Amino acid sequence: MKGKINYSVTDGIAILEVDNPPVNPLSDGVRHGLIESMEKAESDDSVVGIVLTGKGRSFIAGADISEFGQQIEGPSIHDAFEKIEKSTKPVIAAINGSALGGGLETALCCHYRVSSKQGFIGLPEVNLGLLPGAGGTQRLPRLVGPAEALKIMLSGRHIPAVKALDMGVIDSLSEGDIVEDAVAFAKDVAEKNETHPLVRNLNEKVLAARGDENIISEARALAAKTRKGQFAPGKIIQCVEEAINLDDFDEGMKKEAEYFIECLLNPQREAMIHIFFGERAASKINDVPKETPKMDINKAGIIGSGTMGGGIAMCFANIGIPVHIVDQDEENLKKGLAAIERNYKFMVDRGRMSAEQMEKTFGLISSGLSYEEISDVDIVIEAVYENLDLKLEIFKKLDEAVKDDAILASNTSGLDVDALADCTKRPGKVVGTHFFSPANVMRLLEVVRGEKTSNETLATIMSLGKVLKKAPVVSLNAPGFIGNRMLFGYTTQANKLLLEGALPHQVDSALENFGMSMGPFRMLDLVGLDLGWRARKLSGTESPITAKINDALCDLDRYGQKNGKGFYNYVEGSRAPHPAPENEAIYEQVSKDNGFERREISDQEIIDRCILALVNEGAKILEEGVAQRSGDMDVVGDMDVVYINGYGFPIWRGGPMQYANMEGLDVISAKIDEFAKNDPEFWQKADLIGSLSEVKGRFGDAPAPEDRKPVSGFNKSSVAGNL
Ligand code: T1G
């Protein structure tokens, strides 16, 4: 069995310590131990009260997520909770750290809740495609009211103890030793109170909400806005409706259990748990030992004050690390700092930070024109536009100007990191740190491992990524790394569909209905149609067929959002895309000039061709080993984590590789074979898809061929070809 309860008695108070490192999930050993310990305390006459706490940095981090989808052993969570609720002696939850999901539900079964200042609570099950299935949907509304409870469960956010005290979730805050204070609290209530409150009996707030339709309609609106396409939020709302309308608490619990099963059986649960564990696995690099020393990063430098440079600087300032931006142009610097200030003002206006917090955070960002100003920083991130010669020049200068043990990182989205390393005297300190725009919002951080990047540099960047609240994923130094390499096929298909007869809004709405946060043509308008166009003009390269329409638009000064017209039209000050019927004549002319006969195209064909292009390229990355980790399942996880956190792929589908696994690789294989009949050059199916589909296998099944060698080599044209 996994986990246990450490039982002891102090001053007539039984202390039950959940011991299941590192974060004390309610695994079978813990459930079993809880029942045993409660019975022991109940039957010990010398015991007048019970304190439940957690060992280490967590109280209880919820049910054991790794058990979902498995055959559950031992007693259920409900069996354990019944023992707590039926205790004749006061039970105090001493929240010493994270009390999440089933962890908070355990505390809600106790008579009283005391927390340390470090404690935090939450019901984040929605992030796993589940709902709080151990009474959270029935008990929390009784404590904080249905409206607030819905916000907590639909957001899945963590609530610090001080706030939880204000909300009435916890009864008192411990300033000292949480267990000592909880024991004192238990002795006090055991002495003074005849009876002890149970949340299940607090009906006032749910009764008061009866008939107030706004609560439910507002929750539905919130779910539609923040949880588009997800199944569990609707079930959470139904549970709270039951809590409001049913007189009998246990009837509500039955309904909760019913809806919980529906979530458990819904494929979104497997997909979202795949990402939960995928993100945690991605942070471990197999051949970099856990104990590898890491550098302390106390000060950072950024080269370039453009959109990316500014966003990256905000990431450091947001967690309290002073950051200095260097640019060669005073005007650029002014514009860059003004953009950062605007972003912070926007957050203050939206109530996401106070004016004092803004002043303190923005105050950590300084700027200047000389490299000497960053000679003492621990890391420098170069974030200038994509030009290898310019970056080489910058890295040579940085190597001279910055202290020897500082890390030199590049925000390149696809250029050769080894070339940057080789122009310095510290190749072990050179690494790629590919942030995604807007860098202060997007969670993905592609960490590009060069041939000479040291373990210490990698370990430092991976832990820095976590501190910056990013999802770091390692890629080997190969063209386009993981994300952009997969994206190449996706945008190629989108552009081919445009040539064959689809329109930008049709392609975008088909993929947004599939769940993508933004369709490819809205994305190209956001990034700027002129980026690739200028690069091709600069290098004098012929537009590839898939960029013909893009370049025809640029020839008519349609560069996208930046100048209010691209594939869509935009009004001043708004990012909302408006149809551009005037472009259709261009599409028809370019199709005709390039021998395409335009035809009706279904949304399903659009989805299949764009998403399967991602899957097919992902399978080749798997075959080649670019996502540098040994276990196939790990690599599948990496690619899915990349697409969820960097490219707006719907989390409830688990990423392109998980999506393919759930569709069935035989189905995927057959569709690619079909597409290959019309476009054999593009649809070269990955061998892995063929071999796995024959055995009804899944990505992640195949054992990793130990002698994988990444196919590398940077010819510039392949990167510029499709932007
Ligand atoms: N079950 C199993 N393993 C878990 C776990 C859990 N609940 N939580 C964490 N782990 C593992 C994790 O995979 C990692 O493993 C290690 O612990 C450290 O985690 C009935 C249905 C608590 C805020 O959603 O949010 O209760 O990689 O790296 O950054 O209603 O873990 O080392 O092998 O994330 O310090 C609801 C999930 C469950 C909370 C700590 N609970 N956990 O963050 O450490 S569903 C959650 C977290 C439920 C009931 C329902 C975080 C954390 P490994 P970590 P961290």
Side-chain angles (χ1 to χ4, degrees), residues 22-23 25 57 61-65 68 98 100-102 105 124-125 128 132-134 158 260 276-277 280 284 466:
V23 292
R57 63 189 160 97
D64 186 332
I65 301 169
F68 291 125
S98 53
L100 300 174
E105 291 171 304
E125 285 85 344
L128 305 169
H158 296 173
F260 180 79
F276 176 85
F277 286 121
R280 278 142 188 90
K284 302 182 182 71
K466 206 168 175 184

PDB file of all heavy atoms in Angstrom, residues 22-23 25 57 61-65 68 98 100-102 105 124-125 128 132-134 158 260 276-277 280 284 466, ligand 1:
ATOM      1  N   PRO A  22       5.866  12.960  -2.046  1.00  0.00           N
ATOM      2  CA  PRO A  22       6.227  14.274  -1.497  1.00  0.00           C
ATOM      3  C   PRO A  22       5.056  15.170  -1.117  1.00  0.00           C
ATOM      4  O   PRO A  22       5.240  16.134  -0.386  1.00  0.00           O
ATOM      5  CB  PRO A  22       7.023  14.916  -2.647  1.00  0.00           C
ATOM      6  CG  PRO A  22       6.416  14.311  -3.886  1.00  0.00           C
ATOM      7  CD  PRO A  22       6.020  12.913  -3.518  1.00  0.00           C
ATOM      8  N   VAL A  23       3.818  14.894  -1.607  1.00  0.00           N
ATOM      9  CA  VAL A  23       2.723  15.835  -1.340  1.00  0.00           C
ATOM     10  C   VAL A  23       1.480  15.183  -0.706  1.00  0.00           C
ATOM     11  O   VAL A  23       0.417  15.778  -0.688  1.00  0.00           O
ATOM     12  CB  VAL A  23       2.340  16.605  -2.627  1.00  0.00           C
ATOM     13  CG1 VAL A  23       3.463  17.533  -3.033  1.00  0.00           C
ATOM     14  CG2 VAL A  23       1.949  15.664  -3.751  1.00  0.00           C
ATOM     15  N   PRO A  25      -0.816  12.543  -1.287  1.00  0.00           N
ATOM     16  CA  PRO A  25      -2.114  12.207  -1.869  1.00  0.00           C
ATOM     17  C   PRO A  25      -2.803  11.105  -1.061  1.00  0.00           C
ATOM     18  O   PRO A  25      -2.144  10.389  -0.297  1.00  0.00           O
ATOM     19  CB  PRO A  25      -1.771  11.731  -3.281  1.00  0.00           C
ATOM     20  CG  PRO A  25      -0.351  11.296  -3.213  1.00  0.00           C
ATOM     21  CD  PRO A  25       0.296  12.142  -2.157  1.00  0.00           C
ATOM     22  N   ARG A  57       5.785  19.391   3.205  1.00  0.00           N
ATOM     23  CA  ARG A  57       5.303  20.688   2.701  1.00  0.00           C
ATOM     24  C   ARG A  57       3.832  20.655   2.287  1.00  0.00           C
ATOM     25  O   ARG A  57       3.294  21.666   1.822  1.00  0.00           O
ATOM     26  CB  ARG A  57       6.164  21.107   1.509  1.00  0.00           C
ATOM     27  CG  ARG A  57       6.101  20.168   0.295  1.00  0.00           C
ATOM     28  CD  ARG A  57       7.157  20.561  -0.741  1.00  0.00           C
ATOM     29  NE  ARG A  57       7.496  19.513  -1.676  1.00  0.00           N
ATOM     30  CZ  ARG A  57       6.969  19.397  -2.886  1.00  0.00           C
ATOM     31  NH1 ARG A  57       6.068  20.239  -3.267  1.00  0.00           N
ATOM     32  NH2 ARG A  57       7.320  18.416  -3.712  1.00  0.00           N
ATOM     33  N   ALA A  61      -2.609  16.553  -0.957  1.00  0.00           N
ATOM     34  CA  ALA A  61      -2.742  17.142  -2.304  1.00  0.00           C
ATOM     35  C   ALA A  61      -3.875  16.510  -3.102  1.00  0.00           C
ATOM     36  O   ALA A  61      -3.881  16.553  -4.333  1.00  0.00           O
ATOM     37  CB  ALA A  61      -1.430  16.991  -3.063  1.00  0.00           C
ATOM     38  N   GLY A  62      -4.797  15.874  -2.404  1.00  0.00           N
ATOM     39  CA  GLY A  62      -5.982  15.343  -3.085  1.00  0.00           C
ATOM     40  C   GLY A  62      -5.961  13.829  -3.195  1.00  0.00           C
ATOM     41  O   GLY A  62      -5.099  13.154  -2.623  1.00  0.00           O
ATOM     42  N   ALA A  63      -6.915  13.328  -3.977  1.00  0.00           N
ATOM     43  CA  ALA A  63      -6.945  11.892  -4.265  1.00  0.00           C
ATOM     44  C   ALA A  63      -5.669  11.554  -5.020  1.00  0.00           C
ATOM     45  O   ALA A  63      -5.004  12.437  -5.551  1.00  0.00           O
ATOM     46  CB  ALA A  63      -8.155  11.578  -5.135  1.00  0.00           C
ATOM     47  N   ASP A  64      -5.305  10.283  -5.074  1.00  0.00           N
ATOM     48  CA  ASP A  64      -4.093   9.872  -5.802  1.00  0.00           C
ATOM     49  C   ASP A  64      -4.430   9.821  -7.284  1.00  0.00           C
ATOM     50  O   ASP A  64      -5.096   8.898  -7.767  1.00  0.00           O
ATOM     51  CB  ASP A  64      -3.623   8.502  -5.314  1.00  0.00           C
ATOM     52  CG  ASP A  64      -2.277   8.128  -5.942  1.00  0.00           C
ATOM     53  OD1 ASP A  64      -2.013   8.602  -7.064  1.00  0.00           O
ATOM     54  OD2 ASP A  64      -1.516   7.367  -5.310  1.00  0.00           O
ATOM     55  N   ILE A  65      -3.951  10.818  -8.016  1.00  0.00           N
ATOM     56  CA  ILE A  65      -4.333  10.963  -9.432  1.00  0.00           C
ATOM     57  C   ILE A  65      -3.899   9.747 -10.247  1.00  0.00           C
ATOM     58  O   ILE A  65      -4.560   9.361 -11.213  1.00  0.00           O
ATOM     59  CB  ILE A  65      -3.711  12.252 -10.003  1.00  0.00           C
ATOM     60  CG1 ILE A  65      -4.190  13.475  -9.218  1.00  0.00           C
ATOM     61  CG2 ILE A  65      -4.019  12.438 -11.475  1.00  0.00           C
ATOM     62  CD1 ILE A  65      -3.433  14.756  -9.531  1.00  0.00           C
ATOM     63  N   PHE A  68      -6.580   6.994 -10.928  1.00  0.00           N
ATOM     64  CA  PHE A  68      -7.753   7.143 -11.798  1.00  0.00           C
ATOM     65  C   PHE A  68      -7.592   6.311 -13.069  1.00  0.00           C
ATOM     66  O   PHE A  68      -6.552   6.335 -13.709  1.00  0.00           O
ATOM     67  CB  PHE A  68      -7.981   8.621 -12.139  1.00  0.00           C
ATOM     68  CG  PHE A  68      -8.428   9.431 -10.958  1.00  0.00           C
ATOM     69  CD1 PHE A  68      -7.728  10.565 -10.586  1.00  0.00           C
ATOM     70  CD2 PHE A  68      -9.513   9.046 -10.201  1.00  0.00           C
ATOM     71  CE1 PHE A  68      -8.106  11.304  -9.465  1.00  0.00           C
ATOM     72  CE2 PHE A  68      -9.899   9.775  -9.082  1.00  0.00           C
ATOM     73  CZ  PHE A  68      -9.196  10.903  -8.720  1.00  0.00           C
ATOM     74  N   SER A  98      -0.282  22.491   1.178  1.00  0.00           N
ATOM     75  CA  SER A  98      -1.359  22.409   0.169  1.00  0.00           C
ATOM     76  C   SER A  98      -2.484  21.493   0.640  1.00  0.00           C
ATOM     77  O   SER A  98      -2.258  20.350   1.031  1.00  0.00           O
ATOM     78  CB  SER A  98      -0.784  21.875  -1.144  1.00  0.00           C
ATOM     79  OG  SER A  98      -0.090  20.665  -0.920  1.00  0.00           O
ATOM     80  N   LEU A 100      -5.567  20.488  -1.277  1.00  0.00           N
ATOM     81  CA  LEU A 100      -6.184  20.606  -2.592  1.00  0.00           C
ATOM     82  C   LEU A 100      -7.071  19.415  -2.903  1.00  0.00           C
ATOM     83  O   LEU A 100      -6.782  18.289  -2.477  1.00  0.00           O
ATOM     84  CB  LEU A 100      -5.082  20.721  -3.661  1.00  0.00           C
ATOM     85  CG  LEU A 100      -4.139  21.910  -3.543  1.00  0.00           C
ATOM     86  CD1 LEU A 100      -3.012  21.810  -4.571  1.00  0.00           C
ATOM     87  CD2 LEU A 100      -4.896  23.227  -3.701  1.00  0.00           C
ATOM     88  N   GLY A 101      -8.151  19.647  -3.633  1.00  0.00           N
ATOM     89  CA  GLY A 101      -9.053  18.568  -4.037  1.00  0.00           C
ATOM     90  C   GLY A 101      -9.508  17.766  -2.833  1.00  0.00           C
ATOM     91  O   GLY A 101     -10.022  18.340  -1.855  1.00  0.00           O
ATOM     92  N   GLY A 102      -9.246  16.432  -2.894  1.00  0.00           N
ATOM     93  CA  GLY A 102      -9.638  15.559  -1.776  1.00  0.00           C
ATOM     94  C   GLY A 102      -8.992  15.990  -0.471  1.00  0.00           C
ATOM     95  O   GLY A 102      -9.494  15.659   0.611  1.00  0.00           O
ATOM     96  N   GLU A 105     -11.334  18.556   0.778  1.00  0.00           N
ATOM     97  CA  GLU A 105     -12.572  17.825   1.125  1.00  0.00           C
ATOM     98  C   GLU A 105     -12.397  17.088   2.452  1.00  0.00           C
ATOM     99  O   GLU A 105     -13.345  16.999   3.242  1.00  0.00           O
ATOM    100  CB  GLU A 105     -12.933  16.881  -0.029  1.00  0.00           C
ATOM    101  CG  GLU A 105     -13.392  17.619  -1.290  1.00  0.00           C
ATOM    102  CD  GLU A 105     -13.532  16.709  -2.491  1.00  0.00           C
ATOM    103  OE1 GLU A 105     -12.537  16.023  -2.839  1.00  0.00           O
ATOM    104  OE2 GLU A 105     -14.639  16.672  -3.061  1.00  0.00           O
ATOM    105  N   PRO A 124      -8.985  21.960  -7.427  1.00  0.00           N
ATOM    106  CA  PRO A 124      -8.540  22.093  -8.825  1.00  0.00           C
ATOM    107  C   PRO A 124      -8.902  20.899  -9.715  1.00  0.00           C
ATOM    108  O   PRO A 124      -8.341  20.742 -10.800  1.00  0.00           O
ATOM    109  CB  PRO A 124      -7.019  22.185  -8.669  1.00  0.00           C
ATOM    110  CG  PRO A 124      -6.710  21.400  -7.449  1.00  0.00           C
ATOM    111  CD  PRO A 124      -7.903  21.479  -6.554  1.00  0.00           C
ATOM    112  N   GLU A 125      -9.853  20.068  -9.285  1.00  0.00           N
ATOM    113  CA  GLU A 125     -10.177  18.866 -10.059  1.00  0.00           C
ATOM    114  C   GLU A 125     -10.532  19.192 -11.520  1.00  0.00           C
ATOM    115  O   GLU A 125     -10.285  18.383 -12.415  1.00  0.00           O
ATOM    116  CB  GLU A 125     -11.369  18.138  -9.406  1.00  0.00           C
ATOM    117  CG  GLU A 125     -11.041  17.381  -8.133  1.00  0.00           C
ATOM    118  CD  GLU A 125     -11.088  18.257  -6.891  1.00  0.00           C
ATOM    119  OE1 GLU A 125     -11.079  19.497  -7.021  1.00  0.00           O
ATOM    120  OE2 GLU A 125     -11.109  17.691  -5.780  1.00  0.00           O
ATOM    121  N   LEU A 128      -8.227  18.494 -14.176  1.00  0.00           N
ATOM    122  CA  LEU A 128      -7.974  17.090 -14.500  1.00  0.00           C
ATOM    123  C   LEU A 128      -9.176  16.479 -15.230  1.00  0.00           C
ATOM    124  O   LEU A 128      -9.277  15.264 -15.372  1.00  0.00           O
ATOM    125  CB  LEU A 128      -7.697  16.310 -13.219  1.00  0.00           C
ATOM    126  CG  LEU A 128      -6.584  16.810 -12.310  1.00  0.00           C
ATOM    127  CD1 LEU A 128      -6.615  16.099 -10.963  1.00  0.00           C
ATOM    128  CD2 LEU A 128      -5.216  16.632 -12.977  1.00  0.00           C
ATOM    129  N   PRO A 132     -14.904  17.868  -7.866  1.00  0.00           N
ATOM    130  CA  PRO A 132     -14.607  17.477  -6.472  1.00  0.00           C
ATOM    131  C   PRO A 132     -15.599  16.414  -6.026  1.00  0.00           C
ATOM    132  O   PRO A 132     -16.707  16.724  -5.637  1.00  0.00           O
ATOM    133  CB  PRO A 132     -14.767  18.800  -5.720  1.00  0.00           C
ATOM    134  CG  PRO A 132     -14.640  19.856  -6.747  1.00  0.00           C
ATOM    135  CD  PRO A 132     -15.241  19.283  -7.988  1.00  0.00           C
ATOM    136  N   GLY A 133     -15.150  15.154  -6.104  1.00  0.00           N
ATOM    137  CA  GLY A 133     -16.093  14.040  -5.951  1.00  0.00           C
ATOM    138  C   GLY A 133     -16.140  13.451  -4.561  1.00  0.00           C
ATOM    139  O   GLY A 133     -16.657  12.344  -4.373  1.00  0.00           O
ATOM    140  N   ALA A 134     -15.605  14.139  -3.565  1.00  0.00           N
ATOM    141  CA  ALA A 134     -15.660  13.639  -2.180  1.00  0.00           C
ATOM    142  C   ALA A 134     -16.341  14.665  -1.281  1.00  0.00           C
ATOM    143  O   ALA A 134     -15.864  14.972  -0.180  1.00  0.00           O
ATOM    144  CB  ALA A 134     -14.252  13.312  -1.690  1.00  0.00           C
ATOM    145  N   HIS A 158      -5.581  28.283  -6.556  1.00  0.00           N
ATOM    146  CA  HIS A 158      -5.133  28.046  -5.174  1.00  0.00           C
ATOM    147  C   HIS A 158      -5.413  29.309  -4.362  1.00  0.00           C
ATOM    148  O   HIS A 158      -5.127  30.413  -4.819  1.00  0.00           O
ATOM    149  CB  HIS A 158      -3.632  27.731  -5.153  1.00  0.00           C
ATOM    150  CG  HIS A 158      -3.286  26.460  -5.866  1.00  0.00           C
ATOM    151  ND1 HIS A 158      -1.974  26.064  -6.084  1.00  0.00           N
ATOM    152  CD2 HIS A 158      -4.061  25.499  -6.423  1.00  0.00           C
ATOM    153  CE1 HIS A 158      -1.961  24.904  -6.727  1.00  0.00           C
ATOM    154  NE2 HIS A 158      -3.211  24.548  -6.952  1.00  0.00           N
ATOM    155  N   PHE A 260     -19.717  12.578 -10.964  1.00  0.00           N
ATOM    156  CA  PHE A 260     -18.273  12.307 -10.904  1.00  0.00           C
ATOM    157  C   PHE A 260     -17.932  11.145 -11.838  1.00  0.00           C
ATOM    158  O   PHE A 260     -16.981  11.210 -12.609  1.00  0.00           O
ATOM    159  CB  PHE A 260     -17.831  11.978  -9.478  1.00  0.00           C
ATOM    160  CG  PHE A 260     -16.362  11.694  -9.348  1.00  0.00           C
ATOM    161  CD1 PHE A 260     -15.446  12.726  -9.320  1.00  0.00           C
ATOM    162  CD2 PHE A 260     -15.874  10.380  -9.290  1.00  0.00           C
ATOM    163  CE1 PHE A 260     -14.077  12.479  -9.216  1.00  0.00           C
ATOM    164  CE2 PHE A 260     -14.522  10.117  -9.205  1.00  0.00           C
ATOM    165  CZ  PHE A 260     -13.616  11.160  -9.164  1.00  0.00           C
ATOM    166  N   PHE A 276      -1.178  16.572 -16.919  1.00  0.00           N
ATOM    167  CA  PHE A 276      -0.716  16.806 -15.528  1.00  0.00           C
ATOM    168  C   PHE A 276       0.616  16.090 -15.313  1.00  0.00           C
ATOM    169  O   PHE A 276       1.604  16.688 -14.911  1.00  0.00           O
ATOM    170  CB  PHE A 276      -1.758  16.314 -14.521  1.00  0.00           C
ATOM    171  CG  PHE A 276      -1.300  16.427 -13.086  1.00  0.00           C
ATOM    172  CD1 PHE A 276      -1.462  17.617 -12.384  1.00  0.00           C
ATOM    173  CD2 PHE A 276      -0.675  15.360 -12.443  1.00  0.00           C
ATOM    174  CE1 PHE A 276      -1.011  17.736 -11.066  1.00  0.00           C
ATOM    175  CE2 PHE A 276      -0.222  15.464 -11.127  1.00  0.00           C
ATOM    176  CZ  PHE A 276      -0.392  16.653 -10.440  1.00  0.00           C
ATOM    177  N   PHE A 277       0.650  14.797 -15.614  1.00  0.00           N
ATOM    178  CA  PHE A 277       1.877  14.033 -15.391  1.00  0.00           C
ATOM    179  C   PHE A 277       2.930  14.379 -16.453  1.00  0.00           C
ATOM    180  O   PHE A 277       4.136  14.385 -16.177  1.00  0.00           O
ATOM    181  CB  PHE A 277       1.571  12.537 -15.373  1.00  0.00           C
ATOM    182  CG  PHE A 277       0.887  12.087 -14.101  1.00  0.00           C
ATOM    183  CD1 PHE A 277      -0.361  11.483 -14.138  1.00  0.00           C
ATOM    184  CD2 PHE A 277       1.490  12.293 -12.862  1.00  0.00           C
ATOM    185  CE1 PHE A 277      -1.003  11.088 -12.954  1.00  0.00           C
ATOM    186  CE2 PHE A 277       0.863  11.910 -11.675  1.00  0.00           C
ATOM    187  CZ  PHE A 277      -0.385  11.299 -11.718  1.00  0.00           C
ATOM    188  N   ARG A 280       4.980  17.332 -15.372  1.00  0.00           N
ATOM    189  CA  ARG A 280       5.919  16.990 -14.302  1.00  0.00           C
ATOM    190  C   ARG A 280       7.072  16.151 -14.846  1.00  0.00           C
ATOM    191  O   ARG A 280       8.218  16.349 -14.496  1.00  0.00           O
ATOM    192  CB  ARG A 280       5.196  16.299 -13.160  1.00  0.00           C
ATOM    193  CG  ARG A 280       4.532  17.348 -12.263  1.00  0.00           C
ATOM    194  CD  ARG A 280       3.194  16.943 -11.736  1.00  0.00           C
ATOM    195  NE  ARG A 280       2.625  18.109 -11.064  1.00  0.00           N
ATOM    196  CZ  ARG A 280       1.851  19.018 -11.688  1.00  0.00           C
ATOM    197  NH1 ARG A 280       1.562  18.891 -12.969  1.00  0.00           N
ATOM    198  NH2 ARG A 280       1.366  20.052 -11.014  1.00  0.00           N
ATOM    199  N   LYS A 284      12.026  16.695 -15.927  1.00  0.00           N
ATOM    200  CA  LYS A 284      13.156  15.833 -15.558  1.00  0.00           C
ATOM    201  C   LYS A 284      13.921  15.435 -16.819  1.00  0.00           C
ATOM    202  O   LYS A 284      13.307  15.040 -17.794  1.00  0.00           O
ATOM    203  CB  LYS A 284      12.635  14.578 -14.854  1.00  0.00           C
ATOM    204  CG  LYS A 284      11.817  14.888 -13.605  1.00  0.00           C
ATOM    205  CD  LYS A 284      11.369  13.601 -12.930  1.00  0.00           C
ATOM    206  CE  LYS A 284      10.517  13.918 -11.722  1.00  0.00           C
ATOM    207  NZ  LYS A 284       9.176  14.467 -12.119  1.00  0.00           N
ATOM    208  N   LYS A 466      10.635  26.704 -13.919  1.00  0.00           N
ATOM    209  CA  LYS A 466       9.540  26.429 -12.975  1.00  0.00           C
ATOM    210  C   LYS A 466       9.286  27.646 -12.086  1.00  0.00           C
ATOM    211  O   LYS A 466       8.148  28.036 -11.859  1.00  0.00           O
ATOM    212  CB  LYS A 466       9.913  25.197 -12.127  1.00  0.00           C
ATOM    213  CG  LYS A 466       8.690  24.467 -11.617  1.00  0.00           C
ATOM    214  CD  LYS A 466       9.010  23.108 -11.038  1.00  0.00           C
ATOM    215  CE  LYS A 466       7.723  22.543 -10.444  1.00  0.00           C
ATOM    216  NZ  LYS A 466       7.924  21.270  -9.761  1.00  0.00           N
TER     217      LYS A 466
HETATM  218  N1  T1G B   1      -1.782  12.337  -6.803  1.00  0.00           N
HETATM  219  C1  T1G B   1      -0.661  11.652  -7.180  1.00  0.00           C
HETATM  220  N2  T1G B   1       0.568  12.248  -7.381  1.00  0.00           N
HETATM  221  C2  T1G B   1       0.636  13.565  -7.167  1.00  0.00           C
HETATM  222  C3  T1G B   1      -0.496  14.344  -6.774  1.00  0.00           C
HETATM  223  C4  T1G B   1      -1.745  13.658  -6.581  1.00  0.00           C
HETATM  224  N3  T1G B   1      -2.851  14.298  -6.183  1.00  0.00           N
HETATM  225  N4  T1G B   1      -0.098  15.633  -6.667  1.00  0.00           N
HETATM  226  C5  T1G B   1       1.221  15.663  -6.973  1.00  0.00           C
HETATM  227  N5  T1G B   1       1.663  14.430  -7.274  1.00  0.00           N
HETATM  228  C6  T1G B   1       3.047  14.045  -7.615  1.00  0.00           C
HETATM  229  C7  T1G B   1       3.563  14.705  -8.906  1.00  0.00           C
HETATM  230  O1  T1G B   1       3.225  13.963 -10.042  1.00  0.00           O
HETATM  231  C8  T1G B   1       5.062  14.719  -8.665  1.00  0.00           C
HETATM  232  O2  T1G B   1       5.545  13.427  -8.939  1.00  0.00           O
HETATM  233  C9  T1G B   1       5.170  14.960  -7.156  1.00  0.00           C
HETATM  234  O3  T1G B   1       3.900  14.554  -6.608  1.00  0.00           O
HETATM  235  C10 T1G B   1       5.403  16.412  -6.816  1.00  0.00           C
HETATM  236  O4  T1G B   1       4.426  17.205  -7.463  1.00  0.00           O
HETATM  237  C11 T1G B   1     -11.952  13.010  -4.986  1.00  0.00           C
HETATM  238  C12 T1G B   1     -11.049  13.697  -7.613  1.00  0.00           C
HETATM  239  C13 T1G B   1       0.381  19.875  -4.657  1.00  0.00           C
HETATM  240  C14 T1G B   1       0.574  22.087  -5.767  1.00  0.00           C
HETATM  241  O5  T1G B   1      -5.163  18.446  -8.548  1.00  0.00           O
HETATM  242  O6  T1G B   1      -1.194  20.712  -7.947  1.00  0.00           O
HETATM  243  O7  T1G B   1      -8.729  15.042  -5.290  1.00  0.00           O
HETATM  244  O8  T1G B   1       7.031  13.980 -10.810  1.00  0.00           O
HETATM  245  O9  T1G B   1       6.052  18.471  -8.927  1.00  0.00           O
HETATM  246  O10 T1G B   1       5.308  21.802  -7.783  1.00  0.00           O
HETATM  247  O11 T1G B   1     -12.297  15.253  -5.288  1.00  0.00           O
HETATM  248  O12 T1G B   1       1.525  18.777  -7.123  1.00  0.00           O
HETATM  249  O13 T1G B   1       7.957  13.766  -8.532  1.00  0.00           O
HETATM  250  O14 T1G B   1       7.102  11.727  -9.754  1.00  0.00           O
HETATM  251  O15 T1G B   1       3.620  19.125  -8.790  1.00  0.00           O
HETATM  252  O16 T1G B   1       5.482  21.388  -5.312  1.00  0.00           O
HETATM  253  C15 T1G B   1      -6.840  16.995  -6.929  1.00  0.00           C
HETATM  254  C16 T1G B   1      -2.370  18.168  -7.814  1.00  0.00           C
HETATM  255  C17 T1G B   1      -6.706  15.552  -7.223  1.00  0.00           C
HETATM  256  C18 T1G B   1      -3.441  18.718  -6.939  1.00  0.00           C
HETATM  257  C19 T1G B   1       2.618  20.641  -5.399  1.00  0.00           C
HETATM  258  N6  T1G B   1      -5.549  17.547  -6.552  1.00  0.00           N
HETATM  259  N7  T1G B   1      -1.034  18.512  -7.355  1.00  0.00           N
HETATM  260  O17 T1G B   1       3.263  21.223  -6.483  1.00  0.00           O
HETATM  261  O18 T1G B   1       5.148  19.472  -6.813  1.00  0.00           O
HETATM  262  S1  T1G B   1      -8.230  14.864  -7.763  1.00  0.00           S
HETATM  263  C20 T1G B   1      -4.797  18.222  -7.418  1.00  0.00           C
HETATM  264  C21 T1G B   1      -0.549  19.781  -7.495  1.00  0.00           C
HETATM  265  C22 T1G B   1      -9.178  14.784  -6.338  1.00  0.00           C
HETATM  266  C23 T1G B   1     -11.317  14.314  -5.255  1.00  0.00           C
HETATM  267  C24 T1G B   1     -10.605  14.425  -6.516  1.00  0.00           C
HETATM  268  C25 T1G B   1       0.875  19.992  -7.100  1.00  0.00           C
HETATM  269  C26 T1G B   1       1.069  20.639  -5.716  1.00  0.00           C
HETATM  270  P1  T1G B   1       6.966  13.220  -9.524  1.00  0.00           P
HETATM  271  P2  T1G B   1       4.810  18.614  -8.117  1.00  0.00           P
HETATM  272  P3  T1G B   1       4.890  21.056  -6.596  1.00  0.00           P
END
